[in-house]
Amino acid sequence: MGYKFLKKSIKVNNAIDLILKHLTIKLGIEKIQFDESLGRVLAEDIISKVDIPPVNKSAFDGYAVKGIDLISASRYSPLRLKVIDEVKIGEMPPKWTKGALKIATGAALPDGLDTVIPAEYVNILGDNEIEILKSFPIGDNVIQRVEDVKKGKCVLKEGRIINPFDLGMLAQLKKMNVMVLEKLRIVILPTGSELIEPNKEGDLYKTVDTNMYTLSALCKKPWIEVDHIKPVQDDLKALTQAIRSSMVNNHVLIITGGTSVGELDLVPEAVQRVGSVKLLIRGIGIQPGRPTGVAIVDSKLFFMLSGFPTACIIGYIALVRPLLYKIINTPEPPKPIVTAKLQSKVTSSLGVEGYVRVIVKKVGEKLIAEPVRVIGSSSISSLIEANGFLIVPYGSEGFDSGSEVQINLYDSIQD
Amino acid sequence: MGYKFLKKSIKVNNAIDLILKHLTIKLGIEKIQFDESLGRVLAEDIISKVDIPPVNKSAFDGYAVKGIDLISASRYSPLRLKVIDEVKIGEMPPKWTKGALKIATGAALPDGLDTVIPAEYVNILGDNEIEILKSFPIGDNVIQRVEDVKKGKCVLKEGRIINPFDLGMLAQLKKMNVMVLEKLRIVILPTGSELIEPNKEGDLYKTVDTNMYTLSALCKKPWIEVDHIKPVQDDLKALTQAIRSSMVNNHVLIITGGTSVGELDLVPEAVQRVGSVKLLIRGIGIQPGRPTGVAIVDSKLFFMLSGFPTACIIGYIALVRPLLYKIINTPEPPKPIVTAKLQSKVTSSLGVEGYVRVIVKKVGEKLIAEPVRVIGSSSISSLIEANGFLIVPYGSEGFDSGSEVQINLYDSIQD
């Protein structure tokens, strides 16, 4: 049993398309309080049941007047008006019959008045009289009834990740509960007999598992519930048992380690034992991260990532993350991409997308990108030192020093 | 009492510089578990106490050999070696005297062996003999001891916001506890007699407060603890009391509403009553959001933002957020900025930075930006409809249709 990785790896985009064809994860829907919905996936269209605003309102502190009276007002022919009453914010306006009303920002205009003159354009003459020295368009400085949202309008569409502005809209509509997708449940299973947890003593030949921490952190989003188990030894029975029990309550399993060609690579064997397996991907065209496998087992999505920390992380970024957004059917948030001048030659193999770690720095007004010296794919220090990825495309062997290249930034630009 | 907003507003950058000169917030330091430190501000340099990796390791499944023996190996003159023993991952390698050792990915090389031949390049002859058909450089396929981190190296610098990769490094160094800045404590105080909470009934003249939800969500970061109180009525005593009690446990107060020129604008008056006030900013050059004030009161930082939802949010984005990062002395994370072709003329006043809400769409391979029709600054529907800001600079009156403009994206590009 087991499988060999193919010599010619599949392109990432093709891998994603292939997996999507077989994917059957269907998230349920749950009702939660709106003020706990930030970052969750909206599972209903939100239709306004009211007009917003429901009344005409003043945009400034000043005086509400009848606009037509103002048409010929000027310094030479000022309009004088009696201030009859006052409109307070949050209160019903008094009935208007003549003259002007003093009005606060946000207060409602009564029937008959359609224009607001900001206080700074008004002379107060005493005896409750004001003088206006210039004309204003009819309707000026008034927030018109319904100008923002008409009753019946769909203000938030199903499928949206709820952002801070959306929360404000839900509050405004008094939508106290909201339907959202249940959380996507992911579990991370680090495997390898060499692995120990960081709080355990080990000799020089043991390695602290870092993948469960980095992957958990990368998965940490309001629409994901991520869990991890302790490192599993390279033992078929233990591995099979760990995978089987992790499947019960999760949609996605991310297994790290145990997927290359060695005899100890028991993951493919264990996966075969837990259910009906569709092995979709055996190696993808990314570097580091080639030994990445994907299978669907009884409708659960299995990612088998390299055990090497950097290869594992890049497998996640290049393949897993885009697929997680596909599962919730929502575009990925926009990524910061900058153009920078490459400071030294970068080479990559043909037939893989090379994830080159670079440091982007600002020099004067220009950005430069310095590749981080990297040897293996075993360590994450290159990711920490760098602040971005230069992705060398599938069909390219690299970039010359001095090239203008696009960098995916994941950390702030250095000075 | 109270203050009028200045006609000529201060530029945002000048406002930030001015505030920084007077800022005295000093965050304490606390020790937390490393696996709860994601997104917190590191408050110590992390120095490695070990070499990583501590031993030479194999990068592949294959055979560990003495590189010098391989120098003239070829198809015509293959090197034959006895496989004496095996190195298992996570275990101390057997002592080597002669021949080759079978080795697993990540397993340690014993003294004397320096090169690994991946299994796919080896012919197995039987009788524990292998044949190697080509030469390999000495040291090939070996992860060298200390190649990643040398003992004594500073791997993570104080002041950094801890990211997923950093977590992995902390695990690797067995740094179970880590010193971080205490959380910056922010409280949001919505003010205005017209305001109600979304679960309360109100007539047409009441307004649901949305600012506490949008601002809380915008402030939601692992290094911030954000709280809000219920809307406070326009009553000097109530306001003074609310501000005074909010100051006790917080570093930053964000007060919304009550800062324009009306008689009901009691916030400045209330602020005067709670402590020793340095009023630094009275109006800043952003549109919407001009009526934004900043004061320092007994070492606490007070932001007084417009009560109008959009003006409030843009005041936060343009002024408050950059200052929060200044307080923790950490650069803001990189922002997604794209260049797009403007689809219609955009105008803005001289003397303000105009935050124009635009929809960025992909048309073929090009990006276009359509300004959202906006009337007032009272509603957040323009922010929901848009996915980015076109910021018209302080000294500009706008952009012509067809201009190539830079857009700050906050949501994904539309198709």
Side-chain angles (χ1 to χ4, degrees):
Chain A
M1 254 322 301
Y3 60 87
K4 294 247 173 196
F5 280 98
L6 299 175
K7 279 265 166 168
K8 192 164 155 50
S9 303
I10 187 170
K11 269 191 192 180
V12 174
N13 285 343
N14 295 346
I16 291 173
D17 290 344
L18 177 67
I19 296 161
L20 283 178
K21 268 188 207 140
H22 292 88
L23 204 61
T24 56
I25 294 173
K26 182 95 186 109
L27 295 177
I29 285 174
E30 59 183 342
K31 188 190 265 191
I32 62 172
Q33 278 181 233
F34 92 92
D35 54 353
E36 290 173 359
S37 70
L38 183 67
R40 298 293 297 272
V41 184
L42 187 61
E44 60 174 328
D45 284 343
I46 304 291
I47 312 289
S48 179
K49 290 182 180 156
V50 292
D51 291 324
I52 303 174
V55 293
N56 295 338
K57 290 181 173 186
S58 175
F60 287 97
D61 291 316
Y63 296 85
V65 299
K66 207 172 160 68
I68 193 91
D69 296 344
L70 269 172
I71 277 198
S72 58
S74 73
R75 186 174 298 270
Y76 308 105
S77 156
L79 174 68
R80 292 187 177 181
L81 286 170
K82 278 275 180 198
V83 180
I84 304 301
D85 204 338
E86 184 175 355
V87 200
K88 289 191 174 144
I89 189 161
E91 295 181 8
M92 191 167 81
K95 202 169 157 60
W96 172 82
T97 48
K98 58 175 183 162
L101 296 181
K102 192 172 178 192
I103 193 162
T105 309
L109 276 81
D111 288 342
L113 298 185
D114 52 19
T115 305
V116 169
I117 314 304
E120 59 212 273
Y121 294 104
V122 165
N123 287 335
I124 295 166
L125 303 176
D127 196 22
N128 282 328
E129 201 171 19
I130 56 168
E131 182 180 61
I132 301 162
L133 302 176
K134 72 185 208 79
S135 89
F136 286 79
I138 293 174
D140 213 20
N141 304 313
V142 173
I143 301 162
Q144 298 294 328
R145 186 179 165 274
V146 205
E147 79 174 22
D148 193 34
V149 176
K150 207 176 155 59
K151 183 175 166 176
K153 185 186 171 184
C154 174
V155 287
L156 298 172
K157 272 217 174 337
E158 185 188 335
R160 193 178 165 89
I161 293 181
I162 295 169
N163 73 24
F165 314 143
D166 300 348
L167 273 195
M169 180 57 84
L170 291 170
Q172 192 160 38
L173 299 179
K174 294 166 158 269
K175 179 84 183 159
M176 299 310 292
N177 294 293
V178 65
M179 305 303 289
V180 296
L181 290 189
E182 68 171 326
K183 291 189 183 187
L184 182 68
R185 291 186 298 278
I186 300 178
V187 62
I188 293 154
L189 296 91
T191 77
S193 292
E194 79 284 17
L195 297 182
I196 55 170
E197 291 179 272
N199 59 349
K200 295 289 189 311
E201 283 307 313
D203 59 28
L204 289 181
Y205 310 105
K206 297 282 184 262
T207 303
V208 176
D209 173 59
T210 61
N211 295 331
M212 70 171 156
Y213 299 104
T214 52
L215 291 179
S216 295
L218 287 165
C219 286
K220 198 167 180 179
K221 302 191 189 308
W223 51 274
I224 291 177
E225 189 173 307
V226 63
D227 198 6
H228 60 78
I229 64 166
K230 291 181 185 184
V232 185
Q233 302 293 298
D234 291 317
D235 169 86
L236 188 56
K237 208 173 146 192
L239 211 49
T240 308
Q241 177 50 35
I243 294 173
R244 189 173 280 138
S245 61
S246 295
M247 285 173 74
V248 178
N249 261 317
N250 292 288
H251 304 103
V252 176
L253 280 77
I254 304 180
I255 304 170
T256 72
T259 61
S260 69
V261 295
E263 284 165 24
L264 286 178
D265 296 326
L266 302 168
V267 167
E269 173 70 22
V271 168
Q272 291 287 348
R273 296 188 173 203
V274 295
S276 156
V277 177
K278 260 185 256 173
L279 180 61
L280 300 176
I281 307 288
R282 299 177 287 168
I284 62 165
I286 52 171
Q287 176 61 37
R290 265 200 60 199
T292 294
V294 181
I296 288 175
V297 186
D298 293 353
S299 90
K300 311 282 179 177
L301 180 58
F302 279 49
F303 292 99
M304 290 161 279
L305 302 184
S306 168
F308 282 138
T310 303
C312 173
I313 287 167
I314 290 174
Y316 176 87
I317 290 172
L319 183 71
V320 181
R321 188 169 61 191
L323 273 161
L324 300 181
Y325 280 95
K326 295 282 186 188
I327 292 173
I328 60 166
N329 197 21
T330 298
E332 279 190 74
K335 297 188 193 95
I337 296 174
V338 294
T339 302
K341 191 168 187 167
L342 195 58
Q343 296 302 291
S344 58
K345 189 179 166 74
V346 156
T347 57
S348 173
S349 310
L350 274 173
V352 293
E353 279 183 10
Y355 275 69
V356 179
R357 282 77 83 197
V358 299
I359 303 173
V360 179
K361 290 182 184 172
K362 197 164 186 177
V363 176
E365 286 305 296
K366 298 273 182 189
L367 297 181
I368 61 167
E370 290 172 357
V372 173
R373 193 189 65 100
V374 172
I375 301 145
S377 57
S378 65
S379 152
I380 48 183
S381 66
S382 66
L383 288 165
I384 292 171
E385 211 178 318
N387 56 9
F389 292 116
L390 163 58
I391 302 174
V392 183
Y394 199 77
S396 160
E397 288 182 291
F399 297 103
D400 285 331
S401 178
S403 309
E404 295 283 328
V405 290
Q406 304 266 87
I407 309 290
N408 283 265
L409 279 181
Y410 57 75
D411 214 337
S412 40
I413 291 170
Q414 298 180 7
D415 286 324
Chain B
M1 256 319 302
Y3 59 88
K4 293 247 174 193
F5 280 98
L6 299 174
K7 279 265 165 165
K8 191 163 155 50
S9 303
I10 188 170
K11 270 192 193 179
V12 174
N13 285 343
N14 295 346
I16 291 172
D17 290 343
L18 176 67
I19 296 161
L20 283 177
K21 269 189 207 142
H22 292 87
L23 204 60
T24 57
I25 295 172
K26 182 96 186 109
L27 295 178
I29 285 174
E30 59 183 343
K31 187 189 264 190
I32 61 171
Q33 278 180 235
F34 92 91
D35 56 353
E36 289 174 359
S37 69
L38 182 68
R40 297 294 296 271
V41 184
L42 187 62
E44 60 175 327
D45 283 345
I46 304 293
I47 313 289
S48 180
K49 290 182 182 158
V50 292
D51 291 324
I52 302 173
V55 293
N56 296 338
K57 291 181 172 185
S58 175
F60 287 97
D61 291 318
Y63 296 87
V65 299
K66 206 170 160 68
I68 195 90
D69 296 343
L70 268 172
I71 277 196
S72 57
S74 73
R75 185 174 299 270
Y76 309 103
S77 156
L79 175 69
R80 290 186 180 184
L81 288 169
K82 279 273 181 200
V83 180
I84 305 299
D85 204 340
E86 184 174 358
V87 200
K88 289 194 173 140
I89 189 161
E91 293 181 9
M92 191 167 80
K95 203 170 154 63
W96 172 83
T97 48
K98 57 175 182 160
L101 295 181
K102 191 171 178 193
I103 195 163
T105 311
L109 274 82
D111 288 342
L113 297 186
D114 52 17
T115 305
V116 170
I117 315 302
E120 60 212 273
Y121 294 102
V122 165
N123 287 336
I124 295 166
L125 303 176
D127 196 24
N128 282 330
E129 200 170 20
I130 57 168
E131 181 180 62
I132 301 162
L133 300 178
K134 73 186 209 75
S135 90
F136 286 79
I138 295 176
D140 212 21
N141 304 313
V142 173
I143 301 163
Q144 298 295 328
R145 186 180 164 277
V146 204
E147 78 172 26
D148 192 33
V149 176
K150 207 176 155 60
K151 182 175 167 176
K153 185 185 171 185
C154 174
V155 287
L156 299 172
K157 271 216 174 337
E158 184 189 334
R160 192 176 166 90
I161 293 180
I162 296 170
N163 72 26
F165 314 143
D166 300 349
L167 273 194
M169 180 57 83
L170 292 170
Q172 192 160 36
L173 299 179
K174 294 167 158 267
K175 178 84 183 157
M176 300 309 291
N177 294 293
V178 65
M179 305 301 291
V180 295
L181 290 189
E182 68 170 329
K183 291 191 184 186
L184 181 68
R185 292 187 297 281
I186 300 178
V187 62
I188 293 154
L189 298 90
T191 77
S193 293
E194 79 283 17
L195 297 181
I196 55 169
E197 291 181 89
N199 59 348
K200 296 290 189 312
E201 283 306 313
D203 59 28
L204 289 181
Y205 310 105
K206 296 284 185 260
T207 303
V208 176
D209 174 59
T210 62
N211 294 331
M212 70 171 157
Y213 299 103
T214 53
L215 291 179
S216 296
L218 287 165
C219 285
K220 198 167 182 180
K221 303 189 189 310
W223 51 274
I224 292 177
E225 189 174 308
V226 62
D227 196 7
H228 61 77
I229 63 167
K230 290 182 185 184
V232 186
Q233 301 293 296
D234 291 318
D235 169 88
L236 188 56
K237 209 174 145 190
L239 210 49
T240 307
Q241 178 49 36
I243 294 173
R244 188 173 281 136
S245 61
S246 295
M247 285 173 74
V248 178
N249 262 316
N250 292 288
H251 303 102
V252 176
L253 279 79
I254 305 180
I255 305 170
T256 71
T259 61
S260 71
V261 295
E263 283 163 24
L264 287 178
D265 295 326
L266 302 167
V267 167
E269 172 70 23
V271 168
Q272 291 287 348
R273 296 189 172 201
V274 294
S276 155
V277 177
K278 260 186 258 173
L279 180 61
L280 300 176
I281 307 288
R282 298 177 286 170
I284 64 165
I286 51 171
Q287 176 63 35
R290 265 200 60 199
T292 293
V294 180
I296 287 174
V297 185
D298 292 353
S299 89
K300 311 284 180 175
L301 180 57
F302 279 50
F303 291 100
M304 291 161 280
L305 302 185
S306 168
F308 282 137
T310 303
C312 172
I313 287 167
I314 290 174
Y316 176 88
I317 290 172
L319 182 72
V320 181
R321 188 169 62 192
L323 273 161
L324 299 181
Y325 281 95
K326 296 282 185 188
I327 291 173
I328 60 167
N329 197 20
T330 298
E332 280 189 73
K335 297 188 194 94
I337 296 174
V338 294
T339 302
K341 191 168 187 170
L342 194 59
Q343 296 302 291
S344 58
K345 189 181 166 72
V346 155
T347 57
S348 172
S349 309
L350 274 172
V352 292
E353 278 183 10
Y355 275 69
V356 179
R357 281 77 84 196
V358 299
I359 302 171
V360 178
K361 290 183 184 170
K362 197 162 187 180
V363 177
E365 286 305 297
K366 297 273 182 189
L367 297 181
I368 61 167
E370 291 173 354
V372 173
R373 193 189 64 101
V374 172
I375 301 146
S377 56
S378 65
S379 153
I380 48 184
S381 66
S382 66
L383 289 164
I384 292 171
E385 210 178 321
N387 55 10
F389 291 116
L390 164 58
I391 302 175
V392 183
Y394 200 76
S396 159
E397 288 181 291
F399 296 102
D400 285 331
S401 179
S403 309
E404 295 283 328
V405 290
Q406 304 267 86
I407 309 291
N408 283 266
L409 279 182
Y410 56 76
D411 214 337
S412 41
I413 291 171
Q414 299 181 6
D415 286 323

